[in-house]
Amino acid sequence: MRTSNSKNLILDTAEKLFAQKGYDGASMRAIAEKAGVAQGLIHYHCKTKEQLFEMIISRRSSEINRDRYHLLKKAFEDAKEGLPTIEDVLFTFIRPALEKGQNNWRRYYTSILGFISHSDDKRSRYLIDKYYNPIAKEYIKALKKIMPDVDGAEIYWGYFYATGVAVYSMARTGRIKELSDGKLDEENMEEKIERIVKFVAGGLRSLK
Amino acid sequence: MRTSNSKNLILDTAEKLFAQKGYDGASMRAIAEKAGVAQGLIHYHCKTKEQLFEMIISRRSSEINRDRYHLLKKAFEDAKEGLPTIEDVLFTFIRPALEKGQNNWRRYYTSILGFISHSDDKRSRYLIDKYYNPIAKEYIKALKKIMPDVDGAEIYWGYFYATGVAVYSMARTGRIKELSDGKLDEENMEEKIERIVKFVAGGLRSLK
DNA sequence: GTCTATAGTTCGATAGAC
DNA sequence: GTCTATCGAACTATAGAC
């Protein structure tokens, strides 16, 4: 085949390992071993560890944010009689990030996103700025449009909180099981998306 | 003095560095250098890196959760005519974690908490289980009491989201400035606490 | 494209002087 | 309590055979 699938194998393996151990905790050696390839091959495909990491962010965020942009535009077009609801807009934000794909890469990727969202180092800020600030500004603009009665500054904080809930609710889902002494566990992803949207919409409405 | 203050200096320095670089990204050498002590001294006081990390979690969480437990009990006692409001309970949860102390260690510590809350590795799960699950169960019990009309399972998710918002809104606050093109910036901590409580209360109420 | 081998650096931890 | 010195392992990255 033209494009080697060993490159995707490396990216997938690295994504999982970065999610579990963080950037510095996942070594190139460990990634190579888990992927079943030589360490040198990673450097052949991705050059450096920094670039491998950015490749992972790049491929997933471009897919997620392309869907978000498209669904957001559609939500405004479909609501011709007026404006989309807060829930309509939030679904376009949450669903592309969390919905079930062919494998559960979103689980791992969201974990990585959690790390860099919380981090204050140069690399993380660079990646968030490059891959997430553009779409963030789109959503803030959209929220301002559909919530004209809410102070502009509050919208920024509301968006900020929404991302916190989304990211947090994907990573470490095992905690629900721990806290409920095994009575609750992972569930249908659609229910999960609906609950997040409901919660965030309620939170946004309470910001006056 | 009896207790060396070099130990606290090491803990403070390590706390800041772990917050900025994560567990594996902050090396013992870097911590020693920043603290202005020999690397060997860290091992003398803390034995291993793992134990140093746990000491940081232990000293902060015990202070925060002692305050939480006390304020939560007080909230129920003071509301003798009935029950405390959702906001009353949330304030006892948020304030001890975020309110301004003598230095801004909460900013750094909350960042560390963000890392381990998102992580799925053995160390993180051990620490969350040991230092945070007991107080989490107190709050879930309290929320069930004051929201008897809400399905029990939803309360777990609501608590989960609340911690996501709290943790996320402390770390990387510089993003608000980026997203607003410099128009917004850090603000009064009391306003911040009130906004978080307002948002989370609105979210919890919308879970039926 | 994929491998092995290895250079050069940095890591956590310990030993031992003071 | 605090330091210096150092061991052995693990790290990223590269060189070069196939």
Side-chain angles (χ1 to χ4, degrees), chain B residues 13 27 29 47 75 77 81 90 116 125 130 147 161 166 171:
Chain B
T13 308
S27 71
R29 292 174 132 79
K47 202 70 188 166
E77 286 170 1
E81 359 64 62
L90 289 177
I116 64 172
R125 275 182 290 128
K130 183 167 175 184
M147 301 176 75
Y161 298 159

Side-chain angles (χ1 to χ4, degrees), chain A residues 132-193:
Chain A
Y132 282 95
N133 278 355
I135 192 77
K137 291 185 181 185
E138 287 296 320
Y139 274 93
I140 287 166
K141 210 162 55 177
L143 289 173
K144 279 183 180 171
K145 258 187 219 161
I146 63 171
M147 302 177 73
D149 50 321
V150 175
D151 182 67
E154 300 297 311
I155 298 278
Y156 287 96
W157 287 105
Y159 174 81
F160 201 53
Y161 297 159
T163 60
V165 172
V167 161
Y168 198 76
S169 63
M170 273 297 273
R172 278 286 291 120
T173 47
R175 185 137 194 255
I176 281 285
K177 194 171 179 179
E178 285 168 24
L179 287 177
S180 65
D181 295 317
K183 281 175 295 195
L184 293 177
D185 204 351
E186 260 322 84
E187 57 178 353
N188 181 281
M189 183 56 71
E190 185 57 30
E191 279 178 31
K192 199 165 172 175
I193 291 173

Side-chain angles (χ1 to χ4, degrees), chain A residues 15 56-72 91-99 105-111 113 131-132 135 139 159 170:
Chain A
E15 179 174 65
I56 290 168
I57 307 294
S58 174
R59 68 168 182 167
R60 299 303 192 198
S61 69
S62 68
E63 180 178 341
I64 290 171
N65 290 334
R66 178 187 11 87
D67 289 352
R68 281 175 168 171
Y69 192 78
H70 174 253
L71 289 172
L72 181 61
F91 268 117
T92 75
F93 183 74
I94 300 292
R95 201 184 297 282
L98 304 197
E99 77 184 344
W105 62 261
R106 283 178 176 79
R107 170 94 195 273
Y108 300 117
Y109 179 68
T110 313
S111 225
L113 196 56
Y131 296 102
Y132 282 95
I135 192 77
Y139 274 93
Y159 174 81
M170 273 297 273

Side-chain angles (χ1 to χ4, degrees), chain A residues 119 133 154 172 175 195, chain B residues 119 133 154 172 175 195:
Chain A
S119 300
N133 278 355
E154 300 297 311
R172 278 286 291 120
R175 185 137 194 255
R195 185 184 292 106
Chain B
S119 300
N133 279 354
E154 301 296 312
R172 278 284 293 120
R175 185 138 194 255
R195 185 184 293 107

Side-chain angles (χ1 to χ4, degrees), chain B residues 37-86:
Chain B
V37 301
Q39 194 193 335
L41 190 60
I42 306 182
H43 286 98
Y44 170 78
H45 282 304
C46 310
K47 202 70 188 166
T48 66
K49 189 178 183 182
E50 295 269 356
Q51 283 178 56
L52 161 63
F53 195 69
E54 178 163 353
M55 281 180 192
I56 291 168
I57 307 294
S58 175
R59 68 168 181 166
R60 300 303 192 197
S61 70
S62 68
E63 179 178 342
I64 290 171
N65 290 335
R66 178 186 10 88
D67 289 351
R68 281 174 169 172
Y69 191 78
H70 175 253
L71 290 171
L72 181 62
K73 205 175 134 205
K74 198 166 166 303
F76 273 86
E77 286 170 1
D78 288 356
K80 284 205 191 77
E81 359 64 62
L83 289 167
T85 65
I86 298 178

